[in-house]
Amino acid sequence: MVPFLKYVFIKDKNFYRSVALLAVPIAVQSMITVGVNMMDTIMVGRLGETELSAVSLANTFINIYHILCMGLSMGASVLVARFNGMKDQVDMQKSVAIMYRLTVLIASLFCIITLAAPEAIMHIYSRETAIIERGVEYLRWSAVTYYLLGLSLTTTIILRAVGKQKVPLYTSFGAFFINVGANNIFIFGHLGMPRMGVAGAALGTLIARLFEFTMICGFLFFKDDVIGFRTGNLFMKTGDLLKEYIRISIPVLVSDGILALGNNSVAMIIGRIGGEFVAANAVTAVTQQMSSVLTQGFSQAGTMITGKTLGEGDRGKAQEQGYAFLGIGFLLGLLSAAVILVISTPVIRSYHLSEHTAGIARQLMDAIAIIVLFQSTNSIMTKGVLRGGGDTKVLMAADNVFLWIASLPLGILAAFVLRLPAFWIYFYLKIDQVLKSIWCVYRLRSGKWIKKIKGSQKDTWEIKERDERIHMV
């Protein structure tokens, strides 16, 4: 029996219980976040397709920063999860301190660029004057949110790495209602406020981000006792851990950064196909996010559980759990595809779209239903298990080779040379998801994805391996 079939449903009930306790709250929080994005899209869509396209493209640039923060925090969470398994609180604090410093540095860079050249940013994605003007307005109001978004997002992922996912979850509930309420007031000018349009959407998001930052960062700095991080730790000496942090975290940051540029290149291609394609993609993108929230939860659970298991020194158990996560990813892909097929028509009808734009959206939904089957599997492996094993350098290459070698060239060929229907354009733009899922199976089976962190683990792993050999004899 091949390893995948042998371990896809392992008999350890505690494993599935631990996975569910970690993944479900994360998935619920992700669903709330996607719900906020969907409400933003629906409300802005009521202003018109131009406004919808402008906000969608402006957020594409903001998402570069979002992805970079995810890279920083996911890289740091590998260390935090491993150090948590080793009961090393000081190194957990050092990991968080380095992460915060890099987050603030990157936030400052994006804030300066956004305020200095919003028109240039929008010109990257569109040539339509009306879309550019609305996008510039949205970006100027969004500049301050980089700091709030970055600090709250990275803190959320670090708290999850030590099993503290309830506070971010409850905070997301509050942020959802705050954002929806603020959007309704400022976009459309209720309660005596001026009608601000897309600027009102940005202001509503800013208010929600401020609430998230206050609650989530406040909990870490003043309440949490697992990491024990306090404001004074921001200035602690971290030189002895910096090399290890760079080895594990920077490849994740670089990988996600290049991936973000690749995704922006996809957005540039879509933006040049036409405003109707952009509007249709904005509708389907939110739906795809909604259908994959469980995958996001299980991906992060994979990082945490793998890191903790390896921190305890059990390589064999980590390998077995990896196969189980692979099976979970495939099942979640099937579920996500089914969800998309069921909700696609009512979602499209909820927007004020022209008949032609709605037709494009339906084609994109069909393509997404196929792609998500593979995306779910490789996300749980690349963003979860393999990353939790410290295999960040190889992932840095794999995450981007398929995107730049396959997806972008084939997408350009399909859109501008062959002029294929929307279904095939989108399918080829996302074909890297199919290729990566196949690669992940081979990487998992090789066992080479498990990396040592810090010299102190060597003895622990050697003892475990010796005991396993004795047991086999």
Side-chain angles (χ1 to χ4, degrees):
M1 184 179 291
V2 296
F4 172 74
L5 296 177
K6 180 179 179 181
Y7 293 125
V8 65
F9 295 113
I10 60 179
K11 296 180 180 179
D12 185 2
K13 294 182 179 179
N14 289 327
F15 166 75
Y16 291 106
R17 186 180 297 109
S18 299
V19 171
L21 289 174
L22 289 171
V24 172
I26 295 172
V28 173
Q29 184 183 355
S30 298
M31 184 174 294
I32 295 169
T33 301
V34 174
V36 171
N37 294 338
M38 180 174 285
M39 291 304 298
D40 280 351
T41 305
I42 291 174
M43 289 182 176
V44 173
R46 289 170 59 186
L47 298 173
E49 289 186 13
T50 296
E51 286 79 4
L52 177 60
S53 298
V55 172
S56 173
L57 293 176
N59 274 316
T60 300
F61 178 76
I62 295 174
N63 282 340
I64 299 177
Y65 174 72
H66 185 278
I67 292 173
L68 290 175
C69 288
M70 288 288 291
L72 275 176
S73 53
M74 290 302 293
S77 72
V78 172
L79 294 172
V80 170
R82 193 77 67 91
F83 291 140
N84 186 37
M86 298 165 64
K87 308 300 180 184
D88 189 343
Q89 191 179 62
V90 173
D91 278 341
M92 283 195 286
Q93 294 169 355
K94 290 179 180 179
S95 301
V96 174
I98 297 171
M99 178 192 72
Y100 274 149
R101 294 166 190 171
L102 291 174
T103 300
V104 171
L105 178 63
I106 297 174
S108 300
L109 177 63
F110 270 79
C111 185
I112 292 170
I113 293 174
T114 300
L115 291 174
E119 294 89 353
I121 293 171
M122 289 304 301
H123 271 289
I124 294 173
Y125 304 109
S126 179
R127 296 174 181 174
E128 298 184 22
T129 303
I131 291 177
I132 292 172
E133 289 176 351
R134 298 293 184 274
V136 166
E137 186 179 7
Y138 185 87
L139 283 172
R140 283 174 174 160
W141 277 91
S142 300
V144 179
T145 61
Y146 290 120
Y147 295 99
L148 304 175
L149 167 64
L151 293 172
S152 60
L153 176 61
T154 52
T155 304
T156 292
I157 293 176
I158 290 302
L159 288 174
R160 289 173 181 171
V162 295
K164 297 282 187 175
Q165 55 267 43
K166 288 185 178 180
V167 171
L169 173 61
Y170 298 151
T171 300
S172 292
F173 273 112
F176 174 82
F177 292 107
I178 290 172
N179 197 11
V180 171
N183 277 353
N184 193 45
I185 292 171
F186 295 113
I187 291 176
F188 305 109
H190 296 310
L191 299 181
M193 294 295 176
R195 181 184 174 91
M196 298 177 64
V198 295
L203 180 57
T205 301
L206 173 60
I207 294 171
R209 296 296 186 203
L210 181 60
F211 172 77
E212 287 178 335
F213 167 77
T214 302
M215 299 300 294
I216 295 172
C217 294
F219 175 80
L220 178 67
F221 289 152
F222 302 107
K223 186 72 174 176
D224 170 66
D225 57 359
V226 177
I227 301 175
F229 193 90
R230 299 296 179 260
T231 52
N233 293 124
L234 290 169
F235 309 101
M236 68 189 304
K237 294 182 179 180
T238 58
D240 61 323
L241 186 63
L242 186 59
K243 183 177 179 180
E244 193 69 22
Y245 185 96
I246 291 173
R247 186 177 72 85
I248 296 297
S249 298
I250 297 304
V252 178
L253 175 63
V254 173
S255 173
D256 286 358
I258 297 174
L259 195 62
L261 293 176
N263 290 336
N264 268 254
S265 299
V266 171
M268 290 166 61
I269 294 171
I270 290 174
R272 279 158 175 75
I273 294 174
E276 291 177 329
F277 201 107
V278 174
N281 184 64
V283 172
T284 58
V286 175
T287 304
Q288 182 179 1
Q289 292 169 11
M290 183 66 76
S291 68
S292 62
V293 291
L294 277 176
T295 301
Q296 296 175 36
F298 280 93
S299 295
Q300 293 188 37
T303 299
M304 300 173 211
I305 289 177
T306 301
K308 193 170 187 299
T309 299
L310 291 174
E312 294 167 351
D314 200 333
R315 292 173 58 112
K317 184 178 180 181
Q319 182 76 29
E320 180 180 335
Q321 291 173 345
Y323 284 116
F325 274 112
L326 182 65
I328 290 172
F330 179 74
L331 294 177
L332 289 178
L334 288 175
L335 178 62
S336 298
V339 169
I340 290 173
L341 293 175
V342 169
I343 70 173
S344 59
T345 298
V347 166
I348 292 171
R349 288 176 178 171
S350 68
Y351 292 87
H352 293 71
L353 301 176
S354 67
E355 184 176 346
H356 182 61
T357 302
I360 295 174
R362 280 189 285 272
Q363 290 189 56
L364 297 184
M365 289 287 195
D366 292 340
I368 291 169
I370 296 173
I371 292 297
V372 76
L373 191 62
F374 299 94
Q375 185 174 350
S376 177
T377 303
N378 82 65
S379 291
I380 286 182
M381 300 310 298
T382 59
K383 308 303 181 187
V385 175
L386 302 182
R387 183 171 285 183
D391 199 25
T392 54
K393 288 184 179 179
V394 175
L395 289 174
M396 179 177 63
D399 268 345
N400 294 288
V401 166
F402 296 122
L403 174 66
W404 292 93
I405 299 299
S407 289
L408 291 178
L410 288 175
I412 292 171
L413 181 66
F416 303 116
V417 179
L418 301 178
R419 299 190 180 278
L420 296 178
F423 173 92
W424 290 108
I425 294 173
Y426 192 90
F427 179 82
Y428 285 122
L429 283 171
K430 297 293 183 179
I431 201 170
D432 61 314
Q433 301 295 336
V434 179
L435 299 175
K436 262 197 301 188
S437 64
I438 298 171
W439 173 83
C440 284
V441 176
Y442 287 100
R443 188 63 181 174
L444 177 66
R445 291 184 64 185
S446 73
K448 297 178 181 179
W449 57 279
I450 299 176
K451 309 295 183 183
K452 290 182 174 65
I453 294 180
K454 298 193 73 174
S456 60
Q457 272 191 306
K458 182 177 180 181
D459 294 337
T460 306
W461 284 12
E462 288 177 348
I463 292 171
K464 285 276 186 180
E465 291 169 352
R466 182 198 63 195
D467 290 345
E468 289 173 359
R469 289 195 297 269
I470 294 172
H471 178 71
M472 290 175 65
V473 174

